[in-house]
C-alpha cells in the first residue's frame, strides 16, 4: 500500500494513501473535533465540525471524508475554523431542545463536551423550540428527537454493524427526523433486534435507556468500540 507525505499544522506526516485526513491527523497526535464520525463506520461528513483548510483552495473540506494526497498542506485550528465550529455548535443548540441540566446525558454528552471545548457559553440565534414527541414504545430504550442532531450514527451503526437498518431519516430541512422502519413507533419496528448498538453510538441523549434519569445515561461506548474492532479483525463471522 503506497504512502504519501503531507503537512498538518506545520508537522510533516506520513500516511497511507487510503487514509483520510482525520485518520492521518489522529495517528500524528493531532486532534480534529467530530460529532457524526465513528471510527470503523462509513464517514458521513454531515456535522461539518471536522472542516479543515487546505493550501491552494478556498473551499473547506471535511477531514473525515477527504483522502490524503502527496504534498497537501493542511491547517486544522485556524481562527476561521474555530469560529465556524462555534457557529455550527450554536446552530445545533438553537435548532433542538438541548437543556443540559435536565438531560439524561448531562456530563456524558459529546455535543455538550464540544460546546465546552469551543467556548460556547451563549447562543447568538433564536431558539426554534420544536415540538417533537418522545417515543417510549420500545421496552428497553426511548427516542427523544428533541435532542437528536441528525448525525446518522445510529443509522449507520444499525445498518453496518447489526445489518438490520431499522433507522433512517425522513423529511426535508427543518422537518428532517429519525424514523424506525416505515415511520412507526420504535416498539413496533419488526426489524429491530433490540441489540442496543444505536444507543451505544448516540452522541447525545436522543437515544436513552428506559429508566435513566438526569445525568444517569451511560452510552457504553467501550462495548461498541469492541464490536467494531472485532469486526474489522474478523474475530467472528458477521
Amino acid at each position: 500500500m503506497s504512502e504519501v507525505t503531507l503537512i498538518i499544522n506545520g508537522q510533516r506526516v506520513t500516511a497511507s494513501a487510503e487514509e483520510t485526513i482525520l485518520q492521518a491527523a489522529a495517528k500524528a497526535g493531532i486532534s480534529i473535533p467530530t460529532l457524526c464520525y465513528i471510527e470503523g463506520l462509513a464517514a458521513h461528513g454531515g456535522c461539518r465540525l471536522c472542516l479543515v483548510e487546505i493550501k491552494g483552495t478556498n473551499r473547506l473540506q471535511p477531514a473525515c471524508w477527504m483522502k490524503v494526497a502527496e504534498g497537501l498542506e493542511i491547517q486544522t485550528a485556524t481562527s476561521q475554523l474555530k469560529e465556524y465550529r462555534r457557529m455550527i455548535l450554536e446552530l445545533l443548540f438553537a435548532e433542538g431542545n438541548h437543556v443540559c441540566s435536565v438531560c439524561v446525558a448531562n456530563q456524558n454528552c459529546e455535543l455538550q463536551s464540544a460546546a465546552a471545548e469551543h467556548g460556547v457559553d451563549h447562543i447568538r440565534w433564536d431558539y426554534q423550540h420544536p415540538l417533537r414527541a418522545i417515543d417510549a414504545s420500545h421496552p428497553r430504550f426511548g427516542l427523544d428527537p428533541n435532542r437528536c442532531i441528525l448525525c446518522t450514527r445510529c443509522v449507520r451503526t444499525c445498518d453496518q454493524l447489526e445489518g438490520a437498518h431499522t433507522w433512517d431519516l425522513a423529511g426535508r430541512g427543518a422537518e428532517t427526523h429519525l424514523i424506525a422502519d416505515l415511520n412507526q413507533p420504535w416498539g413496533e419496528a419488526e426489524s429491530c433486534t433490540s441489540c442496543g448498538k444505536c444507543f451505544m453510538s448516540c452522541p447525545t441523549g436522543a437515544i436513552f435507556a428506559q429508566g435513566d434519569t438526569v445525568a444517569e445515561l451511560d452510552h457504553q461506548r467501550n462495548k461498541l468500540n469492541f464490536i467494531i474492532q472485532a469486526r474489522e479483525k474478523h474475530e467472528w463471522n458477521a
Side-chain angles (χ1 to χ4, degrees):
M1 187 176 293
S2 60
E3 291 189 339
V4 299
T5 300
L6 60 157
I7 307 296
I8 305 179
N9 296 346
Q11 177 179 337
R12 188 175 298 275
V13 175
T14 300
S16 164
E18 297 302 313
E19 290 181 321
T20 63
I21 293 172
L22 183 64
Q23 291 170 328
K27 287 186 176 180
I30 299 171
S31 177
I32 300 176
T34 64
L35 273 177
C36 68
Y37 179 78
I38 290 184
E39 181 71 36
L41 299 182
H44 174 55
C47 74
R48 316 308 282 179
L49 211 60
C50 70
L51 289 175
V52 295
E53 295 180 8
I54 300 177
K55 185 177 181 180
T57 176
N58 293 325
R59 188 174 181 178
L60 301 178
Q61 297 289 350
C64 70
W65 188 267
M66 186 172 180
K67 296 289 182 67
V68 297
E70 183 67 37
L72 283 183
E73 294 187 32
I74 300 163
Q75 292 292 329
T76 71
T78 64
S79 57
Q80 177 185 226
L81 290 172
K82 290 178 180 178
E83 176 56 28
Y84 278 158
R85 288 166 184 160
R86 180 188 173 97
M87 179 179 66
I88 289 167
L89 291 166
E90 288 184 44
L91 288 171
L92 287 173
F93 275 95
E95 189 274 336
N97 294 317
H98 301 281
V99 185
C100 297
S101 60
V102 294
C103 180
V104 294
N106 190 19
Q107 303 301 318
N108 191 16
C109 171
E110 293 180 40
L111 176 63
Q112 183 185 47
S113 297
E117 180 182 349
H118 290 82
V120 178
D121 53 10
H122 67 281
I123 308 300
R124 291 170 287 180
W125 289 274
D126 293 334
Y127 286 94
Q128 299 302 301
H129 300 297
L131 297 175
R132 300 168 179 166
I134 295 175
D135 183 351
S137 61
H138 193 282
R140 293 184 57 201
F141 305 104
L143 170 65
D144 185 351
N146 297 286
R147 307 186 189 282
C148 179
I149 59 173
L150 302 176
C151 66
T152 75
R153 277 164 52 157
C154 60
V155 177
R156 286 172 286 142
T157 298
C158 187
D159 181 29
Q160 297 167 30
L161 290 186
E162 185 63 12
H165 202 107
T166 299
W167 296 110
D168 217 325
L169 296 181
R172 300 182 66 181
E175 302 302 319
T176 305
H177 60 283
L178 196 63
I179 62 170
D181 279 0
L182 298 176
N183 198 13
Q184 59 206 88
W186 185 3
E188 298 176 14
E190 294 183 359
S191 66
C192 180
T193 64
S194 298
C195 67
K197 293 185 181 69
C198 59
F199 163 70
M200 298 176 197
S201 68
C202 181
T204 66
I207 298 180
F208 57 91
Q210 293 281 12
D212 279 349
T213 59
V214 175
E216 284 189 344
L217 181 146
D218 178 4
H219 279 301
Q220 302 171 0
R221 200 83 74 217
N222 289 338
K223 289 185 179 180
L224 184 67
N225 293 337
F226 171 78
I227 293 170
I228 291 174
Q229 291 173 15
R231 174 175 175 264
E232 291 181 337
K233 295 176 182 178
H234 304 287
E235 293 181 351
W236 61 60
N237 292 326

